[in-house]
């Protein structure tokens, strides 16, 4: 039985790619994410997070600071990129996929525990976690730090080439901060 890692697909949603918060770097990264997921389908579990907001988004603290409605539940912008989703479905068919809605930058720690504690009971889980997705400097960093705080002895990595930040500079700066928090940058 081979050891399976956990790939965390952070917010690879339409609004972060070519929607409300369109990002040219994210557009470039999507084909690489698809290939990575395809290449690892027999050696990984996956969890996909979904940034999730309601119609009252502009009345929230995030909405005040970033007044661009995005990832409104039940909209196209909230959906995972279709090419990534087509690979994600293959993991689902094998019983290797999980989904998390999150209502802020980081998913609820209890939701992470529900998934990872279950995986830790599986003999084939390698205790390795790789995060990828959008945006490096907001949601990827938030979820990475939550996971490191919850599971300090797991091998946690962020794929620099499979993430995109709000800007290239913020992406690179965030990778430096993650490295100083003992996160592997691959």
């Amino acid at each position: 039985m081979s050891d399976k890692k956990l790939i965390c697909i952070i917010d690879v949603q339409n609004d972060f790619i070519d929607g409300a918060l369109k990002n040219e770097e994210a557009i470039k990264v999507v084909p690489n994410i698809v290939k990575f997921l395809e290449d690892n389908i027999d050696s990984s579990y996956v969890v996909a997070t979904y940034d999730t907001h309601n119609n009252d988004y502009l009345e929230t603290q995030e909405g005040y600071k970033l007044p661009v409605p995005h990832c409104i539940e039940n909209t196209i912008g909230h959906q995972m990129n279709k090419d990534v989703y087509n690979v994600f479905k293959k993991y689902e068919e094998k019983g290797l996929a999980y989904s998390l809605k999150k209502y802020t930058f980081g998913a609820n720690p209890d939701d992470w525990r529900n998934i990872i504690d279950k995986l830790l009971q599986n003999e084939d889980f390698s205790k390795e976690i790789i995060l990828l997705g959008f945006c490096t400097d907001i949601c990827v960093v938030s979820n990475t730090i939550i996971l490191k705080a919850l599971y300090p002895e797991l091998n946690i990595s962020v794929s620099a080439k499979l993430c995109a930040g709000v800007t290239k500079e913020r992406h690179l700066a965030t990778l430096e901060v993650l490295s100083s928090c003992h996160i592997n940058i691959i």
Side-chain angles (χ1 to χ4, degrees):
M1 191 178 280
S2 67
D3 286 341
K4 289 183 169 51
K5 61 189 159 282
L6 174 63
I7 299 170
C8 301
I9 306 167
I10 306 297
D11 300 355
V12 181
Q13 296 165 264
N14 293 324
D15 270 347
F16 293 119
I17 302 165
D18 55 9
L21 295 170
K22 183 177 181 176
N23 183 320
E24 293 299 327
E25 292 302 310
I27 291 169
K28 292 177 196 174
V29 169
V30 168
N32 299 329
I33 291 173
V34 170
K35 181 171 181 0
F36 181 78
L37 292 172
E38 287 174 342
D39 290 349
N40 285 281
I41 198 161
D42 292 321
S43 61
S44 301
Y45 296 96
V46 296
V47 60
T49 66
Y50 289 86
D51 191 41
T52 303
H53 300 291
N54 296 310
N55 290 326
D56 67 347
Y57 171 78
L58 291 174
E59 298 168 23
T60 66
Q61 184 175 10
E62 181 180 338
Y64 288 123
K65 294 182 183 241
L66 176 65
V68 180
H70 63 279
C71 297
I72 306 298
E73 195 163 17
N74 301 316
T75 66
I76 291 172
H78 182 259
Q79 294 173 3
M80 185 185 297
N81 168 272
K82 68 177 173 52
D83 296 328
V84 175
Y85 182 71
N86 287 336
V87 181
F88 182 78
K89 283 192 312 191
K90 294 176 186 177
Y91 283 85
E92 282 185 320
E93 291 164 3
K94 293 178 174 239
L96 302 172
Y98 303 87
S99 296
L100 285 178
K101 284 184 188 175
K102 56 186 198 55
Y103 303 97
T104 186
F105 303 135
N108 183 312
D110 290 335
D111 292 339
W112 279 121
R113 278 192 206 99
N114 287 338
I115 293 170
I116 295 174
D117 286 354
K118 186 184 301 182
L119 292 178
L120 286 168
Q121 294 175 18
N122 294 346
E123 290 181 18
D124 68 347
F125 179 47
S126 68
K127 299 181 179 151
E128 178 183 1
I129 300 173
I130 299 172
L131 291 94
L132 55 88
F134 314 126
C135 292
T136 316
D137 48 316
I138 303 172
C139 295
V140 174
V141 68
S142 297
N143 286 285
T144 304
I145 296 301
I146 290 168
L147 289 168
K148 189 64 173 176
L150 292 172
Y151 300 97
E153 295 304 317
L154 293 186
N155 184 8
I156 300 175
S157 304
V158 170
S159 175
K161 293 184 179 187
L162 300 179
C163 290
V166 172
T167 66
K168 285 182 185 181
E169 296 78 18
R170 286 185 180 180
H171 169 74
L172 294 172
T174 302
L175 294 175
E176 284 189 43
V177 169
L178 287 169
S179 178
S180 70
C181 293
H182 303 173
I183 304 298
N184 304 310
I185 307 302
I186 55 174

